[in-house]
Amino acid sequence: MRLGLALGYWGRGPSPDLLDLVREAERLGYDSVWTAEAWGSDAFTALTWIAAHTSRIGLGTAVAQMAARAPTTTAMHALTLDHLSGGRVLLGLGLSGPQVVEGWYGRPFPRSPLTATREYVDVVRQVLRREAPVRLDGRHHSHPYNGPDGTGLGKALKPITHPLRADVPVLLGAEGPKNIAQTLAIADGWLPLYWTPDRWAEVYALPATLPEGFLVAPMVRARLCEDVKEGLLPVKAMLGFYIGGMGHAARNFHADLMGRMGYEKEARRIQELFAAGRREEAVLAVPDAFADEISLVGPRRRIAGRLERWRRGPVTDLLVTSPDPATLRLLAELNS
């Protein structure tokens, strides 16, 4: 099981310690570093900056939002950064949800998200293979564009720039059973959310055998500390925001996943509190047992014992979220 460093997206602004943390992860032998985006900082700019200050570590997006860019634009980002970094890119993609797609990007959330994802990946792969001009008569992505409001003058094109690698790994963020099944069929890897090391087969309905070479790369919040309850507070804060604020009450993929993990009543309560502006109460309503199940928090011996449970499953890359160099060093030591 390889280790990755998951930086997420910026809050108010970039951390002044970000680059030092990445360099320390690279020194410790971490295999990859991952950026994200929501409705603030973007995933590719920060990753390019990191690429310029590192030499070996893989550069992943977890995730780049599909609604933010046409698939050809995303492929351009990937092939450009792959050249500049010497072939270190891992392209993680995700649909996001209706709240962000329609509220931030100002476009409709696809009524057939599986089809939209499949078409998007198809176009990205066509660009990176550069075997022929990109063509797709899709429901959501047509190349050339053939809609009734077009000019009819579009021409099928292939990238001017020759990609460094035709097989840049494409990973998908997927939560629902059908989305996960499609991910196994069309992608090179999967970026699960809220991974449970003991109940993953039950929660995600994974087949006994995964495709050869398929990457399973969940994120885990980690913190080396003596007080487990206090150490879980940042995990609960993240969960409170995602469950309560990252989606509409009627359609929130994160809350649905929490429900499938056995906390449906608690998920709905978190949503109610968050919607009412009672955010601190929403965070405290996150069950300690749920936060603990999906994280690595506590003293050294506790983390060591729990890490073994993550290693026994199908996880190939554990993407660690922690701003603490001591925690990163401990995990590198325990995983060596």
Side-chain angles (χ1 to χ4, degrees):
M1 185 177 72
R2 295 176 293 263
L3 295 178
L5 173 63
L7 298 173
Y9 47 79
W10 300 348
R12 182 170 296 180
S15 166
D17 302 323
L18 185 147
L19 193 55
D20 289 339
L21 196 68
V22 173
R23 284 170 166 163
E24 177 65 1
E26 185 172 53
R27 187 191 69 79
L28 291 168
Y30 278 60
D31 192 72
S32 56
V33 58
W34 301 74
T35 56
E37 58 191 11
W39 51 90
S41 60
D42 79 278
F44 288 103
T45 304
L47 210 56
T48 303
W49 181 66
I50 290 168
H53 292 85
T54 56
S55 60
R56 176 198 58 80
I57 199 163
L59 307 163
T61 55
V63 294
Q65 295 178 330
M66 296 184 213
R69 306 164 189 88
T72 46
T73 308
T74 294
M76 289 167 66
H77 278 302
L79 75 84
T80 303
L81 182 53
D82 208 44
H83 268 292
L84 292 173
S85 66
R88 292 192 273 157
V89 169
L90 301 117
L91 182 59
L93 303 171
L95 270 181
S96 191
Q99 182 189 49
V100 176
V101 173
E102 298 185 1
W104 182 248
Y105 294 115
R107 56 187 303 173
F109 186 77
R111 295 185 181 276
S112 50
L114 292 177
T115 302
T117 298
R118 189 166 59 251
E119 291 177 1
Y120 200 102
V121 171
D122 185 347
V123 173
V124 168
R125 291 202 188 278
Q126 285 191 55
V127 173
L128 294 175
R129 287 195 300 264
R130 199 181 179 271
E131 294 172 347
V134 177
R135 293 186 182 277
L136 180 67
D137 185 15
R139 179 174 177 181
H140 301 274
H141 301 285
S142 296
H143 295 266
Y145 181 73
N146 58 10
D149 55 344
T151 64
L153 302 177
K155 178 182 178 181
L157 302 169
K158 66 179 180 180
I160 297 169
T161 305
H162 292 235
L164 181 66
R165 294 183 297 162
D167 58 350
V168 170
V170 175
L171 298 87
L172 294 175
E175 295 178 54
K178 292 181 179 179
N179 202 351
I180 293 169
Q182 176 171 271
T183 297
L184 292 170
I186 70 171
D188 302 301
W190 173 38
L191 296 159
L193 193 65
Y194 311 154
W195 182 264
T196 166
D198 300 318
R199 298 189 293 138
W200 52 267
E202 165 195 343
V203 170
Y204 289 113
L206 291 180
T209 303
L210 299 180
E212 185 177 356
F214 190 81
L215 305 177
V216 178
M219 292 187 190
V220 61
R221 296 214 165 216
R223 186 177 180 188
L224 176 62
C225 60
E226 291 302 318
D227 187 337
V228 174
K229 192 173 185 67
E230 187 269 338
L232 287 174
L233 284 176
V235 184
K236 295 176 66 168
M238 175 274 294
L239 289 169
F241 176 63
Y242 272 71
I243 302 300
M246 277 281 206
H248 190 273
R251 195 169 188 185
N252 183 315
F253 302 130
H254 310 308
D256 292 344
L257 175 57
M258 185 177 174
R260 289 198 301 275
M261 295 179 73
Y263 297 95
E264 183 174 0
K265 180 180 178 181
E266 292 86 345
R268 302 311 166 200
R269 179 58 177 161
I270 293 166
Q271 287 184 295
E272 291 170 2
L273 290 169
F274 201 95
R278 297 157 63 182
R279 298 193 176 189
E280 290 186 9
E281 291 180 64
V283 169
L284 295 177
V286 176
D288 284 0
F290 178 50
D292 196 28
E293 182 177 2
I294 64 172
S295 61
L296 288 167
V297 171
R300 176 191 176 94
R301 180 174 295 181
R302 187 175 195 266
I303 290 178
R306 296 172 70 85
L307 183 63
E308 285 304 310
R309 291 154 56 188
W310 292 73
R311 290 162 61 94
R312 286 196 295 264
V315 173
T316 61
D317 298 79
L318 187 63
L319 311 186
V320 180
T321 298
S322 176
D324 176 34
T327 300
L328 298 183
R329 287 193 289 271
L330 172 63
L331 290 172
E333 179 184 337
L334 294 175
N335 197 55
S336 63

